[in-house]
Amino acid sequence: MSRFDRYFLMKENDAAEYVREKTDFFPDGALLSVREIGDGNLNYVFRVKDEKDGASIIVKQAGEALRISADMRVSTDRNRIESEILLLQDKYAPGLVPKVYQYDTVMCACLMEDLSDFTLMRYALMEHRIFPRFACDISTYMVNTLLSTTDAVMEHKAKKALVKSFINPELCEITEDLVLTEPYNDANKRNKVSGGNEAFVEKELYGDKALRLEIAKLKFDFMNNAQALIHGDLHTGSIFVKPGATRVFDPEFAFYGPMGYDIGNVIANLFFAWNNGYAAGAEDFCTWILSTAEEIIDLFKEKFRSAFERQVRDEMAKTEGFSEYYLTAVIADTAAYLGTELIRRTVGMAQVKDITSIADPAKRLWAERVDILCAKDLIMNRSRFNTGKDFTGAFLRAVNNTDPVV
Ligand code: SR1
Ligand code: MG
């Protein structure tokens, strides 16, 4: 009988004991230090380190209540989902996700590789650092993890078994509410609209019926298009970087959904980094952000086409013209979900530090308006977006058409 045979929320000392009991990662008698380093909205992350030789491991545990709001309770099964998808993605995209050593469905905790030599991408971007490999790595990650899990490539019964195993209703509900409902009606009265942008948000979001109809369609597509096993929350706080290397982590929102949701999230979060860099006058950084966004779209398409040709197994999917039809729809979804991410991080409950840390109120209000206008263009005209330049063109149009806030 062990005290870890029944779920409880661990504290730092428990995490050290947990690692000792569950693994032989550290030698007997090692002097372990533990720090809780969780930075996200949901979970607890402990770094357990051998003070003698510096070896370290991460224990990540799902709490029953969310860190961002004690009133919100979400299934702790998310830890299993995250562990299993990381193990799977390590096969599809080796070297681009952290190693999971083991996971435990009682304590809802997993043990994984410590990436302390990496930096969380959002913070690195807020220092206006540049990562020239990023476009190549993230496009490979997305093509490999997304295309490989579709009906075009997988045996269909095996794919359906994955759909079943990664059914993730409670985390999906968070997205359905926070991303695809509340930014357009403040239904649960938890939006956070910046003072000075109330009238703008009222007109551009709450009062725009045509936009609302498109969001309704996108919400139902998100819920019903079991296209690929998506990460589900692929923002720059779910990515670690260091010069020459990228690791995507934290896929607890994973489920079978539209792959454009992942791609759109990545590009939206690059635009937030641009907002931050622009407010600080970091010109070279802003140029790099836009060229990286373009490259990601163009590389995704190029790698998708060649992987599709090599991997496609479904007889009908081999039909001439089908892969282009499929890819065109993915890119339209990308534009639309890029738009929904831009909007929800600007007015919704869960915002991003890239924007909230812009100290000058006029610059922050302007950045938010740019993002909302760009988002609406992307959503309303989604089928017109094709190349990387189309995407950055929409962003620059919004930049040029938005008056300074005085
Ligand atoms: C209640 S959780 C809020 C947000 O944090 C996660 O990272 C997801 O983006 C979610 O929407
Ligand atoms: Mg997260």
Side-chain angles (χ1 to χ4, degrees), residues 42 233 235 238 250 252-253:
L42 281 80
D233 196 24
H235 56 79
S238 298
D250 211 16
E252 64 194 324
F253 282 76

Side-chain angles (χ1 to χ4, degrees), residues 68-201:
I68 190 176
S69 159
D71 303 336
M72 289 176 77
R73 305 181 83 76
V74 177
S75 165
T76 47
D77 183 49
R78 63 185 189 270
N79 189 268
R80 172 197 66 81
I81 288 186
E82 168 168 0
S83 307
E84 289 183 357
I85 190 180
L86 283 174
L87 290 164
L88 196 68
Q89 292 186 335
D90 193 36
K91 297 199 181 97
Y92 294 136
L96 292 170
V97 297
K99 294 273 176 210
V100 169
Y101 303 127
Q102 62 193 60
Y103 67 99
D104 164 1
T105 52
V106 174
M107 289 298 287
C108 306
C110 63
L111 294 168
M112 64 170 92
E113 184 183 7
D114 181 15
L115 297 172
S116 48
D117 52 333
F118 285 71
T119 310
L120 201 64
M121 187 169 187
R122 188 175 310 285
Y123 294 145
L125 296 181
M126 286 172 64
E127 290 170 4
H128 311 135
R129 289 168 59 196
I130 282 170
F131 296 90
R133 252 204 90 75
F134 180 66
C136 178
D137 282 349
I138 199 72
S139 54
T140 299
Y141 165 85
M142 291 193 293
V143 169
N144 291 10
T145 59
L146 297 173
L147 180 60
S148 308
T149 55
T150 63
D151 279 307
V153 170
M154 281 190 84
E155 195 281 316
H156 298 174
K157 288 189 292 306
K159 182 250 181 176
K160 287 181 176 70
L162 282 189
V163 173
K164 185 174 170 190
S165 165
F166 288 99
I167 196 99
N168 198 351
E170 296 188 16
L171 282 279
C172 284
E173 187 180 37
I174 291 178
T175 304
E176 290 152 22
D177 291 345
L178 294 192
V179 183
L180 297 164
T181 302
E182 294 176 21
Y184 307 93
N185 59 10
D186 200 13
N188 288 320
K189 296 281 167 266
R190 51 188 181 180
N191 282 355
K192 295 194 270 189
V193 178
S194 298
N197 268 351
E198 296 93 340
F200 185 85
V201 167

Side-chain angles (χ1 to χ4, degrees), residues 302-375:
E302 186 183 316
K303 292 177 187 178
F304 181 96
R305 285 188 178 109
S306 91
F308 194 96
E309 202 162 302
R310 275 182 281 114
Q311 293 179 34
V312 63
R313 283 176 52 176
D314 180 277
E315 270 316 301
M316 293 307 283
K318 290 178 188 167
T319 305
E320 196 184 337
F322 181 79
S323 66
E324 279 309 305
Y325 152 83
Y326 193 100
L327 182 55
T328 300
V330 166
I331 298 302
D333 288 350
T334 298
Y337 292 118
L338 158 47
T340 58
E341 175 73 359
L342 285 176
I343 289 173
R344 74 92 166 217
R345 297 290 189 188
T346 306
V347 301
M349 172 190 176
Q351 307 203 332
V352 287
K353 289 191 179 131
D354 318 49
I355 303 287
T356 57
S357 69
I358 298 175
D360 179 336
K363 287 184 179 173
R364 176 172 166 181
L365 292 176
W366 180 80
E368 291 177 357
R369 292 182 192 185
V370 166
D371 290 348
I372 289 172
L373 293 177
C374 172

